[in-house]
Amino acid sequence: MRLSGTVKLFTLLAISTTALASCGSTSSSSTSSSASSSVSSGSSSSTQTSGSSTLDIPSDAHITMLTDVGTIDDKSFNQGTWEGVEAWAQANGFTEGTTGGMTYNYLRPSAGDTASYEETIEDAIDAGATVIVSPGYLFQEAFEAETVANPDVKFIGIDFTQTNIASATNAVNIVFKEQDAGFLAGYAAAEEGLTNLGFVGGMQIPAVYRYGSGFAAGIAYANYTDGKSAQFTASHVYYAGAFTESPTYETTPSGWLANDGVDGIFGAAGQVNNNVFNVVESYHETHTDLDGKAPWAIGVDVDQYNESEYVLTSAMKGLGVAVQDALDNVFSGFSDGGTSITLGAKQDAAGIPTADDSWRFSNFTKDQYNAVLEKIENDDASVKIPQVFDDNGADLASILTGYDVDEDVASALVAVLLPQSD
């Protein structure tokens, strides 16, 4: 399936951080503020249409989104998901809060462990939640237990890997092919002429290392097909081990710029991306002869161009639109219940933004981008993007060496990008 209404998704529906900031709370409170108004209904449900769907929304419907270890204003994964929940809810007559008819809110767990996640889900259900939405691999064990314990509640999970969660008929799992977005960002950076690239990840979890693996393949593809000379080596891969920002995480990438000549850093790290942006901005402040040129940062999840004038592009996935589609499905019979849906570039759900304001490339063109995107959509065999990640990186290593990356360089890169089993 393709996401509904996503023609030219990354032109028309790219969420700028300006828009995100206007909607996200800056409070670290565990709940969103309650709305003072309510939506009343004389019947037990509201029937309306959304796109091609006819929705049957109970008058007491309540949607709660749960954040992972990030925050609702992280300008990335959590906030992109919240934007989708909020846009859908407001378009369908919901008000923000927990009482007074059809409502929606969010909760942030008190800690980043399964017990806290389960407790937060139970708190949401006790407060009347009929639909739970949660972005993040870290929630999957809690979801596994709570979907069974609460069969009358509908669950929308994002980026889970456990297939038994998707087998619950009251749950749907949405998985993005972050490797598609990473590939396109890496390809674009190399085609732009960047020559020495780095990667900063948050935690080494599937969504993050899929981004990094695709990034490596995209760089190698540009080098192989168009004679580019961009380097991406193991020495320029760094996992912060967190998604919340700290000056501590600036030391390593700062060294890359100062000592190694790195001219582009892809951050796939939630709020740690703010540290990446700080590093790049600081370098420009102390090297005034750069005149707006590299080094650049590359953003993640949503269009982060407005976070810094030195964000070249962003590896995006269609979080908001996918959540809206899932909510449509929940309130129109939930035919997707018990399934896991995978969305990537072929479904207009992964890529880089092409809006004019976001396009900071001087050499790489939209025609070039659309050409490689068309190859991906048509399964062109020359475009190889990693698909298997539980093989100690054998799939990625094969792709890299197939694109003439030195075998030792490829092996070392794979060993730091992907988790390795004994």
Coordinates of all heavy atoms in Angstrom, one line a residue, residues 160-228:
F160 N 8.3 -1.4 15.8 CA 8.6 -2.6 16.5 C 9.1 -3.7 15.6 O 9.0 -3.7 14.4 CB 7.3 -3.1 17.2 CG 6.6 -2.2 18.2 CD1 5.3 -2.4 18.6 CD2 7.3 -1.1 18.7 CE1 4.7 -1.5 19.5 CE2 6.8 -0.2 19.6 CZ 5.5 -0.4 20.0
T161 N 9.8 -4.7 16.2 CA 10.3 -5.8 15.5 C 9.7 -7.1 15.8 O 9.8 -8.1 15.1 CB 11.8 -5.9 15.6 OG1 12.1 -6.1 17.0 CG2 12.5 -4.6 15.2
Q162 N 9.1 -7.2 17.0 CA 8.5 -8.5 17.4 C 7.2 -8.8 16.6 O 6.2 -8.1 16.8 CB 8.3 -8.5 18.9 CG 9.6 -8.4 19.7 CD 9.3 -8.4 21.2 OE1 8.2 -8.4 21.6 NE2 10.4 -8.4 22.0
T163 N 7.2 -9.9 15.9 CA 6.1 -10.1 15.0 C 4.9 -10.6 15.8 O 3.7 -10.4 15.3 CB 6.4 -11.2 14.0 OG1 6.9 -12.4 14.7 CG2 7.5 -10.8 13.0
N164 N 5.1 -11.1 17.0 CA 3.9 -11.5 17.8 C 3.1 -10.4 18.3 O 1.9 -10.5 18.6 CB 4.3 -12.4 19.0 CG 5.4 -11.8 19.9 OD1 6.1 -10.9 19.4 ND2 5.4 -12.2 21.1
I165 N 3.6 -9.2 18.3 CA 2.8 -8.0 18.6 C 1.8 -7.7 17.5 O 0.6 -7.5 17.7 CB 3.7 -6.8 18.8 CG1 4.6 -7.0 20.0 CG2 2.9 -5.5 19.0 CD1 5.6 -5.9 20.2
A166 N 2.3 -7.8 16.2 CA 1.4 -7.6 15.1 C 0.3 -8.6 15.0 O -0.7 -8.4 14.4 CB 2.3 -7.5 13.8
S167 N 0.5 -9.8 15.6 CA -0.5 -10.9 15.5 C -1.7 -10.6 16.4 O -2.7 -11.2 16.2 CB 0.1 -12.2 15.8 OG 0.5 -12.3 17.2
A168 N -1.6 -9.7 17.3 CA -2.7 -9.3 18.1 C -3.7 -8.5 17.2 O -3.4 -7.5 16.6 CB -2.3 -8.4 19.3
T169 N -5.0 -8.9 17.2 CA -5.9 -8.3 16.3 C -6.3 -6.9 16.7 O -6.9 -6.2 15.9 CB -7.2 -9.2 16.2 OG1 -7.8 -9.4 17.5 CG2 -6.9 -10.6 15.6
N170 N -6.0 -6.5 17.9 CA -6.3 -5.1 18.3 C -5.0 -4.2 18.2 O -5.0 -3.1 18.7 CB -6.8 -5.1 19.8 CG -5.8 -5.7 20.7 OD1 -5.0 -6.6 20.4 ND2 -5.8 -5.2 22.0
A171 N -4.0 -4.7 17.3 CA -2.8 -3.9 17.2 C -2.4 -3.9 15.7 O -2.5 -4.8 15.0 CB -1.7 -4.4 18.1
V172 N -1.7 -2.8 15.4 CA -1.0 -2.7 14.1 C 0.4 -2.2 14.3 O 0.6 -1.3 15.2 CB -1.8 -1.8 13.1 CG1 -1.9 -0.4 13.6 CG2 -1.1 -1.9 11.7
N173 N 1.3 -2.7 13.6 CA 2.7 -2.3 13.7 C 3.1 -1.6 12.4 O 3.0 -2.2 11.4 CB 3.6 -3.4 14.0 CG 5.1 -3.1 14.2 OD1 5.4 -2.0 14.6 ND2 6.0 -4.0 13.8
I174 N 3.6 -0.4 12.5 CA 4.1 0.3 11.3 C 5.6 0.3 11.3 O 6.2 0.9 12.3 CB 3.5 1.7 11.2 CG1 2.0 1.7 11.2 CG2 4.1 2.5 10.0 CD1 1.4 3.1 11.5
V175 N 6.3 -0.2 10.3 CA 7.7 -0.3 10.3 C 8.2 0.5 9.0 O 7.6 0.4 7.9 CB 8.2 -1.7 10.1 CG1 9.7 -1.7 10.0 CG2 7.8 -2.5 11.3
F176 N 9.1 1.4 9.2 CA 9.6 2.2 8.1 C 11.0 1.6 7.7 O 11.8 1.1 8.5 CB 9.9 3.7 8.6 CG 8.6 4.4 8.8 CD1 8.0 4.5 10.0 CD2 8.0 5.0 7.7 CE1 6.8 5.2 10.2 CE2 6.8 5.7 7.9 CZ 6.2 5.8 9.1
K177 N 11.2 1.8 6.4 CA 12.5 1.4 5.8 C 13.4 2.6 5.9 O 13.7 3.3 4.9 CB 12.3 0.8 4.4 CG 11.4 -0.4 4.3 CD 11.2 -0.9 2.9 CE 12.5 -1.6 2.4 NZ 12.2 -2.2 1.1
E178 N 13.9 2.8 7.1 CA 14.8 4.0 7.3 C 16.0 3.9 6.3 O 16.6 4.9 6.0 CB 15.3 4.1 8.7 CG 14.2 4.5 9.7 CD 13.4 3.4 10.3 OE1 13.7 2.2 9.8 OE2 12.5 3.6 11.1
Q179 N 16.4 2.6 6.0 CA 17.5 2.5 5.1 C 17.3 3.2 3.7 O 18.3 3.6 3.1 CB 17.9 1.0 4.9 CG 16.8 0.2 4.2 CD 15.9 -0.5 5.2 OE1 15.6 0.0 6.2 NE2 15.4 -1.7 4.8
D180 N 16.0 3.3 3.3 CA 15.8 4.0 2.0 C 16.1 5.5 2.2 O 16.7 6.1 1.3 CB 14.3 3.8 1.7 CG 13.9 2.4 1.2 OD1 14.8 1.6 1.2 OD2 12.7 2.2 0.8
A181 N 15.6 6.1 3.3 CA 15.9 7.5 3.5 C 17.4 7.7 3.7 O 17.9 8.7 3.2 CB 15.1 8.0 4.7
G182 N 18.0 6.8 4.5 CA 19.5 7.0 4.7 C 20.2 6.9 3.3 O 21.2 7.6 3.1
F183 N 19.8 5.9 2.5 CA 20.5 5.7 1.2 C 20.4 7.0 0.4 O 21.4 7.5 -0.2 CB 19.8 4.6 0.5 CG 20.4 4.3 -0.9 CD1 21.4 3.3 -1.1 CD2 19.9 5.0 -2.0 CE1 21.9 3.1 -2.4 CE2 20.4 4.8 -3.3 CZ 21.4 3.8 -3.5
L184 N 19.2 7.6 0.3 CA 19.0 8.8 -0.5 C 19.7 10.0 0.1 O 20.3 10.8 -0.7 CB 17.5 9.1 -0.6 CG 16.7 8.0 -1.5 CD1 15.2 8.1 -1.2 CD2 17.0 8.2 -2.9
A185 N 19.8 10.1 1.4 CA 20.6 11.2 2.0 C 22.1 11.0 1.7 O 22.8 12.0 1.4 CB 20.4 11.2 3.5
G186 N 22.6 9.8 1.8 CA 24.0 9.5 1.5 C 24.4 9.7 0.1 O 25.4 10.3 -0.3
Y187 N 23.5 9.3 -0.8 CA 23.7 9.5 -2.2 C 23.7 11.0 -2.6 O 24.6 11.4 -3.3 CB 22.5 8.8 -3.0 CG 22.6 9.0 -4.5 CD1 23.5 8.4 -5.3 CD2 21.6 9.9 -5.1 CE1 23.5 8.6 -6.7 CE2 21.6 10.1 -6.5 CZ 22.5 9.5 -7.3 OH 22.5 9.7 -8.6
A188 N 22.8 11.7 -2.0 CA 22.7 13.1 -2.3 C 23.9 13.9 -1.8 O 24.5 14.7 -2.5 CB 21.4 13.7 -1.7
A189 N 24.4 13.5 -0.6 CA 25.6 14.2 0.0 C 26.8 13.9 -0.9 O 27.6 14.8 -1.1 CB 25.8 13.7 1.4
A190 N 27.0 12.7 -1.3 CA 28.1 12.4 -2.2 C 28.0 13.1 -3.5 O 29.0 13.6 -4.1 CB 28.3 10.9 -2.4
E191 N 26.8 13.1 -4.1 CA 26.6 13.7 -5.4 C 26.8 15.2 -5.3 O 27.3 15.9 -6.3 CB 25.2 13.4 -5.9 CG 25.0 12.0 -6.4 CD 25.7 11.6 -7.7 OE1 26.1 12.6 -8.4 OE2 26.0 10.4 -7.9
E192 N 26.5 15.8 -4.1 CA 26.8 17.2 -3.9 C 28.2 17.5 -3.9 O 28.6 18.7 -4.2 CB 26.1 17.6 -2.6 CG 26.4 19.1 -2.2 CD 25.7 20.1 -3.1 OE1 24.9 19.7 -4.0 OE2 26.0 21.3 -2.9
G193 N 29.1 16.6 -3.6 CA 30.5 16.8 -3.7 C 31.2 16.7 -2.3 O 32.4 17.0 -2.2
L194 N 30.4 16.3 -1.3 CA 31.1 16.1 0.1 C 32.0 14.9 -0.1 O 31.7 13.9 -0.8 CB 30.0 15.9 1.1 CG 29.0 17.0 1.3 CD1 28.1 16.7 2.6 CD2 29.6 18.3 1.4
T195 N 33.1 15.0 0.6 CA 34.2 14.0 0.4 C 34.5 13.1 1.7 O 35.2 12.1 1.5 CB 35.4 14.6 -0.1 OG1 35.9 15.6 0.9 CG2 35.2 15.3 -1.4
N196 N 34.0 13.5 2.8 CA 34.4 12.8 4.1 C 33.3 12.9 5.0 O 33.0 14.0 5.6 CB 35.7 13.5 4.6 CG 36.4 12.6 5.7 OD1 35.9 11.6 6.0 ND2 37.5 13.1 6.1
L197 N 32.5 11.8 5.2 CA 31.3 11.9 5.9 C 31.3 11.1 7.2 O 32.1 10.1 7.4 CB 30.2 11.3 5.0 CG 29.9 12.2 3.8 CD1 29.4 11.5 2.6 CD2 28.9 13.3 4.2
G198 N 30.5 11.5 8.1 CA 30.4 10.9 9.4 C 28.9 10.6 9.8 O 28.0 11.1 9.2
F199 N 28.7 9.7 10.8 CA 27.4 9.3 11.3 C 27.3 9.3 12.8 O 28.2 8.7 13.4 CB 27.1 7.9 10.7 CG 25.7 7.4 11.3 CD1 24.5 7.8 10.7 CD2 25.7 6.4 12.3 CE1 23.3 7.3 11.2 CE2 24.5 5.9 12.7 CZ 23.3 6.3 12.2
V200 N 26.4 10.1 13.3 CA 26.1 10.1 14.8 C 24.8 9.5 15.0 O 23.7 10.0 14.6 CB 26.2 11.5 15.4 CG1 25.7 11.5 16.8 CG2 27.6 12.1 15.2
G201 N 24.7 8.3 15.7 CA 23.5 7.7 16.0 C 23.1 7.9 17.5 O 24.0 8.3 18.3
G202 N 21.9 7.7 17.8 CA 21.5 7.8 19.2 C 21.8 6.4 19.9 O 23.0 6.1 20.2
M203 N 20.8 5.6 20.1 CA 21.0 4.3 20.6 C 21.2 3.4 19.4 O 20.6 3.6 18.3 CB 19.8 3.8 21.5 CG 19.7 4.6 22.8 SD 18.3 3.9 23.7 CE 18.4 4.9 25.2
Q204 N 21.9 2.3 19.6 CA 22.1 1.3 18.5 C 20.9 0.4 18.4 O 20.9 -0.8 18.7 CB 23.4 0.5 18.6 CG 23.8 -0.1 17.3 CD 25.1 -0.9 17.5 OE1 25.2 -1.7 18.5 NE2 26.0 -0.8 16.6
I205 N 19.7 0.9 17.9 CA 18.5 0.2 17.8 C 18.2 0.1 16.3 O 18.7 0.8 15.5 CB 17.4 0.8 18.6 CG1 17.1 2.2 18.1 CG2 17.7 0.8 20.1 CD1 15.9 2.9 18.8
P206 N 17.2 -0.8 15.9 CA 17.0 -1.0 14.5 C 16.8 0.2 13.6 O 17.4 0.4 12.6 CB 15.8 -1.9 14.5 CG 16.0 -2.7 15.7 CD 16.5 -1.7 16.7
A207 N 15.9 1.1 14.1 CA 15.6 2.3 13.2 C 16.9 3.1 13.0 O 17.1 3.7 11.9 CB 14.5 3.2 13.9
V208 N 17.7 3.2 14.0 CA 18.9 4.0 13.8 C 20.0 3.4 12.9 O 20.5 4.0 12.0 CB 19.5 4.3 15.2 CG1 20.8 5.1 15.1 CG2 18.5 5.1 16.1
Y209 N 20.2 2.1 13.2 CA 21.3 1.5 12.3 C 20.8 1.2 10.9 O 21.6 1.0 10.0 CB 21.9 0.3 13.0 CG 21.1 -0.9 13.4 CD1 20.5 -1.8 12.5 CD2 21.0 -1.3 14.7 CE1 19.8 -2.9 12.8 CE2 20.3 -2.4 15.1 CZ 19.7 -3.2 14.2 OH 19.0 -4.3 14.6
R210 N 19.4 1.1 10.7 CA 19.0 1.1 9.4 C 19.3 2.4 8.6 O 19.7 2.4 7.4 CB 17.5 0.8 9.3 CG 17.1 -0.6 9.7 CD 15.7 -1.0 9.3 NE 14.7 -0.3 10.0 CZ 14.0 -0.7 11.0 NH1 14.2 -2.0 11.5 NH2 13.0 0.0 11.6
Y211 N 19.1 3.5 9.3 CA 19.5 4.8 8.7 C 21.0 4.8 8.3 O 21.3 5.2 7.2 CB 19.3 5.9 9.7 CG 17.9 6.6 9.7 CD1 17.2 6.7 10.9 CD2 17.4 7.1 8.5 CE1 15.9 7.3 10.9 CE2 16.1 7.7 8.5 CZ 15.4 7.9 9.7 OH 14.2 8.5 9.8
G212 N 21.8 4.4 9.2 CA 23.3 4.4 9.0 C 23.7 3.5 7.9 O 24.6 3.8 7.1
S213 N 23.1 2.3 7.8 CA 23.4 1.3 6.8 C 23.0 1.8 5.4 O 23.8 1.7 4.5 CB 22.7 0.0 7.1 OG 23.1 -0.6 8.3
G214 N 21.8 2.4 5.3 CA 21.4 3.0 4.0 C 22.3 4.1 3.6 O 22.7 4.2 2.4
F215 N 22.7 4.9 4.6 CA 23.6 6.0 4.3 C 24.9 5.5 3.7 O 25.4 6.1 2.7 CB 23.9 6.7 5.7 CG 24.7 8.0 5.5 CD1 24.2 9.1 4.9 CD2 25.9 8.2 6.2 CE1 24.9 10.3 4.8 CE2 26.6 9.4 6.1 CZ 26.1 10.4 5.4
A216 N 25.5 4.5 4.3 CA 26.7 3.9 3.8 C 26.5 3.4 2.3 O 27.4 3.6 1.5 CB 27.2 2.7 4.7
A217 N 25.4 2.7 2.1 CA 25.2 2.2 0.7 C 25.0 3.3 -0.3 O 25.4 3.2 -1.4 CB 24.0 1.2 0.8
G218 N 24.3 4.4 0.1 CA 24.0 5.5 -0.8 C 25.3 6.2 -1.2 O 25.5 6.6 -2.4
I219 N 26.2 6.4 -0.3 CA 27.5 7.0 -0.6 C 28.3 6.1 -1.5 O 28.9 6.6 -2.6 CB 28.3 7.2 0.7 CG1 27.6 8.2 1.6 CG2 29.8 7.6 0.4 CD1 28.2 8.2 3.1
A220 N 28.3 4.8 -1.2 CA 29.1 3.8 -2.1 C 28.5 3.8 -3.5 O 29.2 3.7 -4.5 CB 29.0 2.5 -1.5
Y221 N 27.2 3.9 -3.6 CA 26.5 3.9 -4.9 C 26.9 5.1 -5.7 O 27.2 5.0 -6.9 CB 25.0 3.8 -4.7 CG 24.2 3.9 -6.0 CD1 24.1 2.8 -6.9 CD2 23.4 5.0 -6.3 CE1 23.4 2.9 -8.0 CE2 22.7 5.1 -7.5 CZ 22.7 4.0 -8.3 OH 21.9 4.1 -9.5
A222 N 26.9 6.3 -5.1 CA 27.3 7.5 -5.8 C 28.8 7.4 -6.3 O 29.1 7.8 -7.4 CB 27.1 8.7 -5.0
N223 N 29.6 6.9 -5.5 CA 31.0 6.7 -5.8 C 31.2 5.7 -7.0 O 31.9 6.0 -8.0 CB 31.8 6.2 -4.6 CG 32.0 7.2 -3.5 OD1 31.8 8.4 -3.7 ND2 32.3 6.7 -2.3
Y224 N 30.4 4.6 -6.9 CA 30.6 3.6 -7.9 C 30.0 4.0 -9.3 O 30.6 3.7 -10.3 CB 29.9 2.3 -7.4 CG 29.9 1.1 -8.3 CD1 31.1 0.4 -8.4 CD2 28.8 0.7 -9.0 CE1 31.2 -0.7 -9.2 CE2 28.9 -0.4 -9.9 CZ 30.1 -1.1 -10.0 OH 30.1 -2.2 -10.8
T225 N 28.8 4.6 -9.3 CA 28.1 4.9 -10.5 C 28.5 6.2 -11.2 O 28.5 6.3 -12.4 CB 26.6 4.9 -10.3 OG1 26.2 5.9 -9.3 CG2 26.1 3.6 -9.8
D226 N 28.9 7.2 -10.4 CA 29.2 8.5 -10.9 C 30.6 9.0 -10.6 O 30.9 10.2 -10.8 CB 28.2 9.5 -10.3 CG 26.8 9.3 -10.9 OD1 26.6 8.8 -12.0 OD2 25.8 9.6 -10.1
G227 N 31.5 8.1 -10.2 CA 32.8 8.5 -10.0 C 33.1 9.5 -8.9 O 34.1 10.2 -8.9
K228 N 32.2 9.6 -7.9 CA 32.4 10.4 -6.7 C 33.5 9.8 -5.8 O 33.8 8.7 -6.0 CB 31.1 10.7 -6.0 CG 30.0 11.3 -6.8 CD 30.4 12.7 -7.4 CE 29.4 13.3 -8.2 NZ 29.8 14.6 -8.8

